[in-house]
Amino acid sequence: MPRDIHLSLVLDPGADGPGQIVEAARIAERGLFDAVIASPTPRTGLEPTTLLGTIAASTSHIGVVASVSPQYTAPFNQARYISTLDHLSKGRAGWNLVLPEQDTAPELHGVSVVPSDIARYSRAAEYTTVLTALWDSWDDDAVVADKTSGLYARRESIHRVDHRGDHFAVAGPFNLPKSPQRHPPLYVSVGSEESAQFAAQHADVAVLTPDAPPVSGVPSTLRERVVSGGEVESLAAGLIEQADRDGIDGFVLHASIDVIRAIVDTVVPHLQSFDRYHRKYSEPTLISRLKATTGVGATL
C-alpha cells in the first residue's frame, strides 16, 4: 500500500514581515504539514531559533526546524538553543545542518580564509557528535523536583562530556535537563556526493535538492520543490507521480504565502481523496511523527 506523502515548508525570507511568516506557518499547520524550516541564509532570513520560538507559541502541532551552521556557532550554545526550542514547543523542534555547499556567507562572520570542504565536513560531523553527547549528559532519572526535600536533580545522573576532538573541546555537562525529544531530528540538505555521504551517516531526514545524487540509509527522504501559483491545480497528481517514481517520502516546498494557502485549500484535499495524505496529526512530537510515518522504528 502506498505511503502518505509528507509536506514541509521553507519559510519565505521574502515575506512581508515576521507577522506574515507566522501566518504562513499557521496555514501550513492547517494543512497538516510536518514542519516549517527557517531559512539558512543570514543575508535574508530572521534568526531561526528566535523566529521559531514565536511560531511554536503561535501553533500547536507543526514542527519547527532551525537551520544551524556548524562553522560559526559553538556547539554548547547551539545545543542550548535547540533544546530550549524543543522545551518551548513541547517536542516539535528539529535542526537543519548547513553544510559547506549551502554556506555562502563566511565574510559575515569575519572569516577571511575558508577551510577546505574536507575540514568543514569534519567539523560538521564532530559538531553533531558534541550536541548528541551534551543532550545525553542528563539521564532519564536525573530530575527529581522534590519540593519536600528541596532536591531538584540527582548529581550522579548528570555527567560530564569531556569531549576533545580536532575542532572542539567541551567539558559539559549540559545545563538543561533532557527535552521532550532528547535528540531533536536532524535534517541534512543533500546536493553533492559529500553531503549524501554525510546524510547517510548522521541525518534523520535527507532533503534532496533538485539535482541531488541518490542517498541511502536515511530514515526519511524529502525532495525540495519550488511551487508557483500556476501549477497548483495539477500539483497533487504531480507530487504523487514524483514520490512514487523517486521512492521518496515527500517534499519540502518553497512557495509564497498565497501559494501555500492555495495548496492547503486545494492540493491537500486532493491528496486526501487519493488516500495519500493524513487527515490529522497523530503523534505529539516531530520525531515520533517521523517514526510513525516512515516505519523506521528505533532508528531515529
Side-chain angles (χ1 to χ4, degrees), residues 52-119:
L52 292 171
T54 300
I55 289 175
S58 303
T59 57
S60 301
H61 303 286
I62 198 165
V64 284
V65 179
S67 294
V68 173
S69 171
Q71 308 303 323
Y72 310 124
T73 56
F76 187 88
N77 290 342
Q78 194 64 65
R80 293 182 67 235
Y81 299 153
I82 298 168
S83 184
T84 297
L85 183 61
D86 202 41
H87 280 289
L88 291 174
S89 65
K90 299 180 180 179
R92 293 185 281 137
W95 53 304
N96 173 41
L97 202 64
V98 179
L99 295 179
E101 54 261 43
Q102 293 99 36
D103 184 8
T104 58
E107 71 278 3
L108 296 180
H109 302 275
V111 177
S112 56
V113 179
V114 179
S116 68
D117 281 359
I118 293 176

Side-chain angles (χ1 to χ4, degrees), residues 39-56:
S39 171
T41 308
R43 294 183 187 276
T44 57
L46 297 170
E47 195 285 311
T49 50
T50 306
L51 171 64
L52 292 171
T54 300
I55 289 175

Side-chain angles (χ1 to χ4, degrees), residues 137-175:
S137 65
W138 287 60
D139 293 342
D140 289 341
D141 66 348
V143 177
V144 179
D146 186 343
K147 294 182 180 180
T148 301
S149 66
L151 178 65
Y152 175 69
R154 295 184 176 91
R155 185 181 296 273
E156 66 273 16
S157 295
I158 303 172
H159 311 285
R160 290 174 61 88
V161 172
D162 288 329
H163 173 89
R164 289 191 175 275
D166 294 335
H167 305 278
F168 305 108
V170 181
F174 200 37
N175 64 348

Side-chain angles (χ1 to χ4, degrees), residues 71-259:
Q71 308 303 323
Y72 310 124
T73 56
F76 187 88
N77 290 342
Q78 194 64 65
R80 293 182 67 235
Y81 299 153
I82 298 168
S83 184
T84 297
L85 183 61
D86 202 41
H87 280 289
L88 291 174
S89 65
K90 299 180 180 179
R92 293 185 281 137
W95 53 304
N96 173 41
L97 202 64
V98 179
L99 295 179
E101 54 261 43
Q102 293 99 36
D103 184 8
T104 58
E107 71 278 3
L108 296 180
H109 302 275
V111 177
S112 56
V113 179
V114 179
S116 68
D117 281 359
I118 293 176
R120 298 170 89 193
Y121 270 105
S122 172
R123 181 183 173 98
E126 188 176 335
Y127 197 88
T128 62
T129 298
V130 174
L131 264 66
T132 301
L134 286 167
W135 291 332
D136 282 340
S137 65
W138 287 60
D139 293 342
D140 289 341
D141 66 348
V143 177
V144 179
D146 186 343
K147 294 182 180 180
T148 301
S149 66
L151 178 65
Y152 175 69
R154 295 184 176 91
R155 185 181 296 273
E156 66 273 16
S157 295
I158 303 172
H159 311 285
R160 290 174 61 88
V161 172
D162 288 329
H163 173 89
R164 289 191 175 275
D166 294 335
H167 305 278
F168 305 108
V170 181
F174 200 37
N175 64 348
L176 287 174
K178 72 180 184 70
S179 68
Q181 299 181 107
R182 183 185 287 273
H183 303 145
L186 172 58
Y187 290 59
V188 170
S189 293
V190 175
S192 67
E193 291 291 346
E194 293 81 5
S195 56
Q197 293 173 13
F198 186 93
Q201 294 173 359
H202 300 283
D204 300 309
V205 181
V207 180
L208 309 180
T209 63
D211 299 322
V215 59
S216 60
V218 180
S220 181
T221 303
L222 308 175
R223 187 172 292 282
E224 287 191 287
R225 181 159 178 162
V226 177
V227 182
S228 64
E231 61 180 316
V232 170
E233 289 298 325
S234 61
L235 186 59
L239 294 180
I240 292 172
E241 179 184 2
Q242 187 174 6
D244 291 346
R245 183 188 68 229
D246 296 349
I248 58 176
D249 298 298
F251 299 88
V252 173
L253 303 181
H254 296 251
S256 68
I257 187 171
D258 290 336
V259 172

